[in-house]
Amino acid sequence: FAAEDAGQRLWAMTDLRPGDVDVAALYDGFSFLSLLWLEGLGFCGRGEAGAFVEGGHRIALDGELPLATGGGQLSAGRLHGLGHFCEAVLQLRGQGGARQVPNSPRVAVVSNGGGPIASAALLVRE
């Protein structure tokens, strides 16, 4: 899977790990891709993403890994991850308004693609 390859490359270039991420803006051009990215980036094991998001508590604004805080591409248009990147920046700046992740997030992960081509980036607020 391209998401797994992107995840491996991402974590190989930093001392940060999935547990350090405060907010996730994962590509969701198709619904299942968010699940694919959770697994590919190591937030859960392969085949475990459904259980990871079950009930929505873990991925809520005040959850362990807030996900799609801007509403995803259904809310922002399908710009192949650009909206996710902008949302991650807003979250790290504390400018998310009613959708702001609490406790001053410091690390965001952004991804796009997920089929045969994929990429991921970490954004860090110092």
Side-chain angles (χ1 to χ4, degrees):
F1 295 121
E4 286 180 349
D5 293 340
Q8 290 171 0
R9 285 190 311 270
L10 177 76
W11 301 122
M13 295 187 295
T14 181
D15 292 332
L16 296 170
R17 295 292 167 250
D20 297 315
V21 174
D22 300 310
V23 61
L26 306 179
Y27 183 73
D28 58 349
F30 299 95
S31 300
F32 78 94
L33 289 174
S34 293
L35 302 176
L36 184 80
W37 275 110
L38 287 169
E39 294 175 5
L41 291 171
F43 292 106
C44 58
R46 188 181 267 195
E48 297 175 357
F52 186 89
V53 301
E54 187 174 359
H57 304 291
R58 184 177 272 156
I59 59 171
L61 282 179
D62 61 349
E64 174 185 329
L65 183 66
L67 177 63
T69 56
Q73 291 189 102
L74 286 176
S75 293
R78 190 167 178 198
L79 299 173
H80 299 285
L82 180 61
H84 294 312
F85 196 91
C86 293
E87 176 65 17
V89 170
L90 288 174
Q91 288 294 329
L92 294 177
R93 288 181 174 177
Q95 298 173 333
R99 64 183 189 278
Q100 179 63 46
V101 172
N103 301 320
S104 300
R106 189 182 75 81
V107 180
V109 65
V110 180
S111 67
N112 80 352
I117 300 171
S119 63
L122 289 173
L123 304 174
V124 178
R125 177 180 50 84
E126 294 292 331

